[in-house]
Amino acid sequence: IEKFNEALALEPYNFQVLRALGRTYLFQGSCQRAKEVGLQGLELNPLSDDLIILKAQAQACLQETVEASQTLTTLEPKKSQLKIYSDLIKAQIYFLDDKLPQAEQILEKAIVADARFPEFYYWLGQIKIKKKVSAVEVHQKYLQLCEAATADLLARYPYEPRICLEKKKIESLVEKERAE
């Protein structure tokens, strides 16, 4: 963060540095700071799809579901990779709004399109927990993908800084559910 701020002091209009700073804040769980950086970046480049994704991720992280939905409407996912993130954010919004069937439906379709993205399985597991049904199978898939996470996998999903961030938590949940 310090280095990104130094870079911004030299180049205050560098939206790529702002994007990287925002993702770092998101990774740390500083959702409000990530949102502020996303807004700042969008002032410089209002058509940047990756900054729109960052802003929507931060809003979902803050549980600002209406705002996150509105932000996603400004996104035109021209690349299939952006649809991955858009779908993930939509699923999170539905999850937060207790619209579990809609969240589950989005994730199941997203998994068909790209079964290698660990976060789809994380959120599917969260839905199953909320529905009070076994999440072991999807959690195991999440853990399997996280164990196999290589630099190539992480590079494949550059817009999601929180890949496998919940690995320890999920390992604990799987162990607990297996013991029961």
Side-chain angles (χ1 to χ4, degrees):
I1 289 174
E2 183 180 322
K3 293 297 180 188
F4 288 136
N5 283 322
E6 287 174 19
L8 285 173
L10 297 171
E11 294 183 52
Y13 302 107
N14 188 328
F15 77 93
Q16 292 175 332
V17 174
L18 284 168
R19 179 185 60 212
L21 178 61
R23 286 190 186 138
T24 302
Y25 281 134
L26 204 57
F27 174 79
Q28 291 182 334
S30 300
C31 306
Q32 184 61 41
R33 304 273 320 249
K35 178 182 166 184
E36 292 165 4
V37 169
L39 290 169
Q40 186 180 352
L42 285 167
E43 286 179 19
L44 300 174
N45 188 349
L47 302 177
S48 170
D49 287 341
D50 48 345
L51 288 170
I52 292 169
I53 290 287
L54 172 65
K55 179 183 170 190
Q57 287 170 319
Q59 289 168 322
C61 182
L62 290 165
Q63 299 187 12
E64 297 173 351
T65 58
V66 172
E67 295 85 350
S69 291
Q70 290 171 343
T71 297
L72 286 177
T73 64
T74 65
L75 181 70
E76 293 186 35
K78 300 172 233 20
K79 303 175 204 165
S80 62
Q81 190 175 38
L82 292 179
K83 182 161 176 27
I84 291 168
Y85 305 105
S86 172
D87 286 348
L88 182 63
I89 296 165
K90 287 176 189 174
Q92 291 172 4
I93 291 166
Y94 282 133
F95 175 83
L96 292 168
D97 287 342
D98 285 322
K99 296 178 181 176
L100 302 182
Q102 293 94 325
E104 196 167 20
Q105 183 180 26
I106 285 176
L107 290 170
E108 287 171 354
K109 285 181 182 177
I111 287 170
V112 170
D114 187 346
R116 295 179 288 176
F117 189 39
E119 300 313 297
F120 289 153
Y121 298 95
Y122 171 77
W123 283 100
L124 195 53
Q126 295 306 295
I127 291 167
K128 290 187 179 297
I129 289 169
K130 212 172 197 182
K131 290 171 71 174
K132 297 184 179 3
V133 297
S134 176
V136 170
E137 189 177 318
V138 291
H139 281 158
Q140 286 175 328
K141 183 65 177 178
Y142 172 80
L143 293 172
Q144 176 189 5
L145 290 169
C146 290
E147 287 298 323
T150 61
D152 182 51
L153 177 70
L154 299 176
R156 181 175 164 80
Y157 304 107
Y159 295 92
E160 179 53 73
R162 300 166 292 188
I163 290 179
C164 298
L165 194 60
E166 301 295 340
K167 185 177 170 216
K168 289 187 188 311
K169 172 183 157 187
I170 299 304
E171 286 171 338
S172 175
L173 285 173
V174 168
E175 285 179 28
K176 181 180 175 187
E177 193 163 349
R178 280 184 184 159
E180 293 174 351

